[in-house]
């Protein structure tokens, strides 16, 4: 049986945080935001190794000031990110060896925990995929370019998707290979495809398998928020208290 690897993404600029410091390095209760997700995987009995993806300029800093300082010993590779999130994910995937399962996680989600990882792993081993998310609490409206309501989907069928998004390695690697080939050929722009998460990559680009591959959701937590704006930092500190 191959390894289970967590790819942790920390290559974003965090422009919406309105700070000179990248959001993954902002301190929450005295520790950088990135520390919390890395430590969750470090302590997990499920995860064998961590591949950390960050900007090329930050590799030395992350290695010395986070990985080594806080003894995140499962980090086997620190690799550079790409232009878009999906490029960063692909760089992480290409760094994997002898891997069977992949957990792709945004480093800006500090509240991943072992209970969520156990649920995801259980679904993953049975179905080949496990995308963490939660049912929406609010009514959702589908609108056009003029913000005119066109549809109101049944709330029971709408989930807000989180990370980690987990797949068998061969499944996610094949989907990302197809995506990158599509990008390199210019087809991605031609088809006006905007890739927003890993599940979408599998849904859209796993098109050379005869039998359709289903993406399965599994419950995460309403606390598994992504830190994006200054208000999110206040919420994060409240959760930690």
């Amino acid at each position: 049986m191959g390894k289970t690897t967590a790819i942790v993404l920390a290559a974003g600029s965090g422009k919406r945080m309105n700070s000179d410091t990248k959001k993954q390095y902002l301190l929450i209760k005295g520790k950088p935001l990135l520390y919390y997700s890395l430590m969750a995987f470090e302590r997990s009995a499920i995860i064998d190794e961590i591949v950390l993806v960050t900007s090329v300029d930050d590799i030395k800093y992350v290695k010395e000031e986070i990985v080594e300082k806080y003894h995140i010993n499962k980090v086997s590779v620190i690799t550079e990110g790409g232009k878009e999130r999906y490029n960063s994910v692909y760089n992480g995937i290409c760094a994997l060896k002898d891997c069977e399962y992949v957990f792709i996680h945004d480093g800006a989600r500090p509240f991943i925990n072992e209970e969520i990882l156990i649920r995801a792993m259980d679904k993953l081993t049975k179905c080949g995929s496990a995308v963490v998310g939660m049912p929406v609490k609010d009514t959702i409206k589908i609108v056009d370019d003029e913000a005119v309501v066109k549809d109101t989907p049944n709330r029971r069928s709408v989930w807000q998707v989180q990370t980690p998004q987990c797949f068998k390695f061969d499944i996610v690697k094949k989907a990302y290979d197809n995506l990158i080939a599509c990008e390199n050929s210019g087809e991605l722009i031609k088809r006006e495809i905007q890739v927003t998460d890993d599940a979408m990559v599998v849904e859209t680009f796993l098109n050379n398998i005869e039998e359709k591959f289903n993406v399965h959701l599994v419950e995460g937590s309403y606390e598994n928020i992504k830190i994006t704006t200054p208000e999110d930092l206040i919420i994060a500190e409240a959760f930690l208290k």
Side-chain angles (χ1 to χ4, degrees):
M1 182 174 177
K3 298 189 296 287
T4 298
T5 303
I7 297 176
V8 178
L9 305 172
S13 59
K15 294 179 180 178
R16 283 177 286 180
M17 193 56 71
N18 298 322
S19 172
D20 293 334
T21 302
K22 294 181 180 178
K23 67 179 180 181
Q24 55 266 37
Y25 311 132
L26 291 172
L27 298 183
I28 302 180
K29 302 291 284 186
K31 293 184 174 65
L33 173 63
L34 181 58
Y35 158 87
Y36 293 96
S37 55
L38 288 176
M39 187 55 71
F41 290 119
E42 173 71 20
R43 293 171 175 168
S44 174
I46 291 170
I47 302 301
D48 297 307
E49 70 170 348
I50 302 169
V51 169
L52 180 55
V53 185
T54 189
S55 67
V56 64
D57 295 333
D58 293 346
I59 290 178
K60 184 175 185 293
Y61 173 83
V62 169
K63 181 177 184 292
E64 295 176 354
E65 297 300 322
I66 299 181
V67 173
E68 293 178 354
K69 179 177 180 179
Y70 295 106
H71 307 290
I72 314 293
N73 299 316
K74 287 183 183 178
V75 173
S76 60
V77 177
I78 303 177
T79 190
E80 65 180 274
K83 180 180 178 181
E84 303 291 344
R85 181 188 183 277
Y86 63 82
N87 299 120
S88 296
V89 174
Y90 189 63
N91 288 353
I93 289 173
C94 290
L96 303 182
K97 296 179 180 179
D98 302 319
C99 181
E100 185 166 4
Y101 298 113
V102 184
F103 283 56
I104 303 170
H105 187 66
D106 291 329
R109 290 187 186 271
F111 298 114
I112 188 68
N113 58 49
E114 188 72 353
E115 289 76 17
I116 295 173
L117 298 181
I118 289 171
R119 288 197 294 272
M121 192 64 182
D122 182 61
K123 178 73 74 172
L124 177 58
T125 54
K126 293 175 181 176
C127 303
S129 65
V131 174
V132 172
M134 291 297 290
V136 299
K137 296 179 180 180
D138 301 319
T139 296
I140 302 298
K141 299 290 184 181
I142 307 299
V143 302
D144 63 15
D145 292 339
E146 302 298 324
V148 175
V149 173
K150 294 300 180 183
D151 190 23
T152 303
N154 189 323
R155 191 167 56 185
R156 290 177 296 178
S157 66
V158 182
W159 283 47
Q160 58 186 45
V161 176
Q162 305 172 351
T163 66
Q165 300 192 8
C166 317
F167 302 91
K168 289 189 65 177
F169 172 77
D170 58 343
I171 293 292
V172 73
K173 176 64 161 59
K174 186 173 293 186
Y176 265 93
D177 282 342
N178 291 346
L179 164 61
I180 298 303
C182 189
E183 179 184 48
N184 292 339
S185 69
E187 192 70 15
L188 198 64
I189 295 176
K190 182 179 179 181
R191 292 166 58 185
E192 298 183 341
I193 298 174
Q194 295 185 350
V195 178
T196 55
D197 73 342
D198 311 295
M200 183 183 178
V201 175
V202 174
E203 294 159 21
T204 306
F205 294 98
L206 202 65
N207 54 14
N208 57 352
I209 293 180
E210 293 182 4
E211 182 177 351
K212 177 177 170 57
F213 181 79
N214 293 315
V215 174
H216 296 261
L217 295 185
V218 62
E219 282 201 2
S221 166
Y222 288 115
E223 291 187 2
N224 185 26
I225 63 171
K226 185 176 182 179
I227 307 301
T228 304
T229 64
E231 294 80 8
D232 296 329
L233 286 175
I234 298 173
I235 296 171
E237 290 183 350
F239 285 160
L240 285 173
K241 289 179 182 179

